[in-house]
Amino acid sequence: MNLKNKQELIEKFGANAKDTGSAEVQIAMLTKKISELTEHMKANKKDFSTKRGLLMMVGKRKRLLSYLKDKNLDGYRKLIKDLGIRG
């Protein structure tokens, strides 16, 4: 993930251009990293340290999604639809 991709995600999901800490932006960035690591794991099945990092990112995203669902249900639904996660 490069700086240009991060800026695009921040502009799309953040409240403003400097909003990097909101749950929506964090979830979007984690989703991008998870998809990149998933592709890496398909080619490198025995890379166990990457697998551990991937599982930790999935857990963090799950916790952030749970938090967002409790605080802002409409925002949660919009975010999962935009990112294409959760079925």
Side-chain angles (χ1 to χ4, degrees):
M1 174 182 280
N2 59 25
L3 188 61
K4 184 179 177 193
N5 290 342
K6 284 184 181 181
Q7 285 301 110
E8 290 173 0
L9 288 174
I10 291 169
E11 289 172 9
K12 185 173 180 183
F13 294 103
N16 56 47
K18 302 252 183 204
D19 181 21
T20 59
S22 68
E24 293 89 349
V25 173
Q26 289 184 50
I27 292 167
M29 285 190 184
L30 282 171
T31 300
K32 178 75 173 163
K33 287 181 185 177
I34 288 169
S35 64
E36 290 174 359
L37 284 179
T38 302
E39 292 301 314
H40 171 80
M41 287 303 297
K42 287 179 183 175
N44 303 284
K45 296 189 184 306
K46 294 186 179 184
D47 189 353
F48 298 112
S49 60
T50 300
K51 183 176 181 180
R52 180 177 185 271
L54 176 62
L55 290 173
M56 287 173 30
M57 284 184 207
V58 170
K60 184 171 182 93
R61 183 179 70 176
K62 183 178 179 182
R63 290 190 304 272
L64 284 167
L65 282 168
S66 176
Y67 168 80
L68 185 60
K69 187 176 181 181
D70 290 342
K71 297 293 179 188
N72 182 4
L73 188 58
D74 293 332
Y76 166 80
R77 289 181 178 152
K78 183 180 180 312
L79 184 67
I80 60 171
K81 188 175 123 189
D82 290 345
L83 293 175
I85 53 178
R86 297 261 167 119

